[in-house]
Amino acid sequence: MSEPKLKAKLFVHAALRRCTLQCLPAVVAHKGDEDSGTILVRVLQGGDRCRVWSQVRNAEGALGWMCATGTEPVSESRAEAYVARARDIDSDVWVLDVESSDGLAPFLEPLFTA
């Protein structure tokens, strides 16, 4: 059985707070469904490098994060294209933008690999 999931709005507010505590600029780029919206995190690394993280469940049902754009950073335009496609499929998706040079955010835990 999978573990329970926080309401999306509560998770987003907590994530923004953790970024603020670590002095990382973060904003809600798109607001989704307050209860059960999917969450995407676009991490802007500077120098036209980005990563897009998506919240997923592993085979055992545990929640975690996977880099949806691959193992290497992508351009901001490719990251935006990914987010736009996701929003076309699901209008309830939340999009958080975080500026972080290492491509991570303090709330991206645990990380899963493909």
Side-chain angles (χ1 to χ4, degrees):
M1 175 142 180
S2 60
E3 63 193 56
K5 184 177 174 183
L6 284 176
K7 289 188 176 193
K9 182 178 179 180
L10 180 60
F11 180 89
V12 167
H13 285 262
L16 292 173
R17 180 73 177 141
R18 287 187 70 184
C19 287
T20 298
L21 291 172
Q22 294 194 12
C23 300
L24 294 174
V27 297
V28 175
H30 184 264
K31 186 177 178 182
D33 182 76
E34 293 186 359
D35 292 329
S36 61
T38 302
I39 301 169
L40 294 179
V41 180
R42 181 174 34 206
V43 180
L44 309 163
Q45 294 182 249
D48 194 38
R49 295 179 311 137
C50 292
R51 292 180 193 266
V52 178
W53 296 89
S54 179
Q55 194 173 39
V56 296
R57 290 191 184 271
N58 68 6
E60 291 80 36
L63 278 170
W65 295 89
M66 186 170 68
C67 190
T69 51
T71 57
E72 297 298 319
V74 297
S75 68
E76 288 185 33
S77 60
R78 282 196 60 197
E80 178 54 35
Y82 181 90
V83 169
R85 284 190 309 274
R87 288 183 56 201
D88 285 344
I89 294 168
D90 180 6
S91 61
D92 290 333
V93 69
W94 287 81
V95 181
L96 296 177
D97 284 349
V98 178
E99 291 183 29
S100 175
S101 60
D102 65 2
L104 298 172
F107 55 87
L108 294 175
E109 51 202 27
L111 297 177
F112 298 144
T113 57

